[in-house]
Amino acid sequence: MKDEIIAIASSQINDSASAIKEISRTVKTYLGGKHIYLALTFFTPQYKPAIIKEILGITLKPENIFAVQSPLLIFKDKTVQRGIVCCCFVRGTVSIKNFFTKNADAVAIEFIFRRNIMPFKERNRFLISSLGPQINVYNYLRGLELALGRNFNVFGAGFLKKYGAKNYVMLNNIIGEGLGGILIEGNFSVDNIKLRGFIPLGKSFTITKIAPQKNRIIEIDNKPAALVYKKYLGNNFELFKKTSIYSYYPLGIKINGTYRLINVIDILDDDSLFCIGDIKENSKAHIMVATPESLLEEVRKTLLNKKSFSDCNLAIILNSLSRRKLLKEKADEEIAQIARIFPDMTKVIGLYCNYQIFPCDYIRQPTIENHTLSVILLKYGDH
């Protein structure tokens, strides 16, 4: 089509080569003979990244490929349990810089950004990355801050375990595990939304001792941290530990009227909490709970009041696997509800991950999001 500058396509054909060929036919239908600069691609673990790269190079010939493996994908109003999703940008609409490293050290990450990404503050640039299980998210954020400062749009999908033989990320000729991402610049504005829907349970408590580099909360109210759960669960505490249902009861720290969620991954032998999230000593916190109804109500309230949805060209959803677990059979309803809010012009793609990196306006730096559905909104044109 004459005026199209972005095309999205998906395939659920089992064979990697055939799936990419089907995607390529769809993209060419929309873009015709336009030259493709970037193929942003998400794929589930059943597909082979080397074949994806090879067939994309033959059929669509993009100048750049950034591909991320995820256990579940999003395409339009559907969750894709097995498949490939691709978003193609026409040459001249965006430019990119990319980076990849297997090193999780903050200094190494700082060096990667200083070497590959120039500092940026304009609203028409954003960084999107994939963090494998071996990457320490706190080192990543520290390396970002050392290299680029705080005032920038940074988005990321983080994975805490392998969902296939490997957690692949692909950057052009690089296929591997680790930290990979791209800085995208173009004639667009960037906005974002974050959907939560958890509510606090009982009285607040104070996080009194942490080991942030080890992702651990050591003490709450000067006692072993896990005892805060024992206080509320009583005789059910041992069952709680045995069944590992921590994701149903994250911790919440209230900042500027909003609860930021801390995802408890495990209770360790010393009764400390292994977790993912922005933790600080002396923070007031609650145990948080949610129901499918409270999560869907949060979607309805937030999206109906979001004016930037009305003229958005591309929406990239980064959704939480733990949120999907909480929603159960209503998980697909959430995606469909979001898709219905967008106008027909908006192209919607996405993936599921364990946590997200998203900008936080009131502290002007990227933060860790858990149990959250986060959306990157791109609007093309002069601003």
Side-chain angles (χ1 to χ4, degrees):
M1 297 182 182
K2 184 178 179 181
D3 297 326
E4 292 285 351
I5 58 174
I6 305 173
I8 63 171
S10 74
S11 176
Q12 297 180 52
I13 297 175
N14 291 337
D15 177 69
S16 299
S18 300
I20 290 297
K21 290 176 182 177
E22 181 180 46
I23 286 171
S24 299
R25 288 192 294 269
T26 303
V27 169
K28 289 178 179 179
T29 298
Y30 280 92
L31 298 182
K34 295 176 182 174
H35 188 93
I36 295 170
Y37 177 74
L38 171 64
L40 175 62
T41 306
F42 305 143
F43 62 99
T44 56
Q46 298 87 352
Y47 295 87
K48 299 179 180 179
I51 294 177
I52 293 174
K53 172 185 173 296
E54 178 186 357
I55 304 303
L56 275 176
I58 295 170
T59 56
L60 291 178
K61 300 180 174 64
E63 291 184 38
N64 295 281
I65 300 171
F66 177 44
V68 177
Q69 178 184 299
S70 170
L72 293 167
L73 312 179
I74 297 165
F75 184 73
K76 296 183 178 178
D77 62 346
K78 298 287 193 303
T79 299
V80 178
Q81 298 195 18
R82 180 189 180 107
I84 304 174
V85 170
C86 188
C87 178
C88 292
F89 296 79
V90 170
R91 177 195 281 172
T93 57
V94 296
S95 60
I96 72 164
K97 297 179 180 180
N98 58 45
F99 59 92
F100 176 82
T101 181
K102 295 182 179 181
N103 196 325
D105 179 76
V107 175
I109 291 171
E110 176 192 2
F111 175 75
I112 288 288
F113 282 115
R114 288 191 183 279
R115 186 182 66 184
N116 294 282
I117 309 292
M118 294 296 292
F120 61 97
K121 296 183 180 180
E122 299 85 348
R123 55 197 294 256
N124 65 340
R125 301 182 184 186
F126 72 95
L127 188 73
I128 185 167
S129 57
S130 171
L131 293 81
Q134 68 273 55
I135 300 299
N136 183 305
V137 63
Y138 300 101
N139 286 345
Y140 171 71
L141 292 175
R142 179 58 178 158
L144 270 175
E145 183 178 348
L146 290 171
L148 303 177
R150 292 188 171 191
N151 187 22
F152 51 88
N153 282 317
V154 173
F155 306 95
F159 301 92
L160 296 176
K161 65 179 183 179
K162 294 184 178 182
Y163 293 96
K166 293 186 176 181
N167 268 54
Y168 285 110
V169 61
M170 184 195 329
L171 278 160
N172 296 333
N173 293 322
I174 299 172
I175 300 174
E177 294 182 285
L179 168 65
I182 53 176
L183 168 67
I184 302 179
E185 181 177 9
N187 186 26
F188 53 76
S189 61
V190 185
D191 198 357
N192 70 86
I193 59 168
K194 294 175 278 289
L195 304 173
R196 298 184 181 95
F198 280 74
I199 56 177
L201 175 67
K203 295 181 179 180
S204 67
F205 45 80
T206 303
I207 297 173
T208 48
K209 185 177 181 181
I210 64 173
Q213 294 304 313
K214 296 182 179 180
N215 303 0
R216 290 168 59 195
I217 299 176
I218 308 298
E219 293 182 356
I220 290 175
D221 289 339
N222 297 309
K223 298 176 182 177
L227 296 185
V228 72
Y229 283 104
K230 192 170 185 177
K231 175 182 176 181
Y232 285 100
L233 297 170
N235 294 334
N236 294 320
F237 178 67
E238 291 304 321
L239 178 63
F240 175 77
K241 290 177 64 176
K242 184 177 180 180
T243 53
S244 301
I245 55 172
Y246 319 116
S247 61
Y248 289 93
Y249 302 94
L251 303 181
I253 298 174
K254 194 171 186 178
I255 303 174
N256 280 26
T258 300
Y259 282 97
R260 302 196 57 79
L261 299 177
I262 310 297
N263 189 9
V264 177
I265 307 301
D266 198 5
I267 295 177
L268 304 181
D269 291 340
D270 62 355
D271 279 339
S272 64
L273 304 177
F274 177 65
C275 56
I276 289 291
D278 290 315
I279 53 175
K280 292 181 173 60
E281 287 185 355
N282 300 316
S283 297
K284 292 289 186 180
H286 283 85
I287 293 176
M288 308 292 288
V289 294
T291 64
E293 290 73 24
S294 71
L295 296 178
L296 292 176
E297 177 63 15
E298 174 76 3
V299 172
R300 188 192 67 80
K301 287 193 306 183
T302 303
L303 299 194
L304 288 178
N305 295 323
K306 194 67 177 177
K307 294 181 180 179
S308 55
F309 269 46
S310 61
D311 52 6
C312 171
N313 297 96
L314 176 65
I316 303 173
I317 299 174
L318 305 182
N319 205 351
S320 165
L321 286 161
S322 58
R323 185 182 183 91
R324 181 176 175 83
K325 185 188 296 185
L326 281 164
L327 281 164
K328 299 178 181 177
E329 66 274 6
K330 294 188 177 181
D332 293 338
E333 180 183 333
E334 180 180 53
I335 299 301
Q337 186 173 330
I338 291 170
R340 285 195 296 268
I341 299 293
F342 289 109
D344 292 340
M345 64 178 281
T346 304
K347 298 169 175 62
V348 181
I349 63 169
L351 57 76
Y352 282 80
C353 53
N354 295 115
Y355 64 90
Q356 304 107 25
I357 306 296
F358 254 64
C360 183
D361 293 336
Y362 49 80
I363 58 174
R364 304 190 68 79
Q365 70 180 88
T367 56
I368 304 164
E369 295 289 337
N370 294 286
H371 303 282
T372 305
L373 188 152
S374 306
V375 189
I376 309 168
L377 303 169
L378 268 65
K379 175 185 175 182
Y380 271 85
D382 296 322
H383 304 286

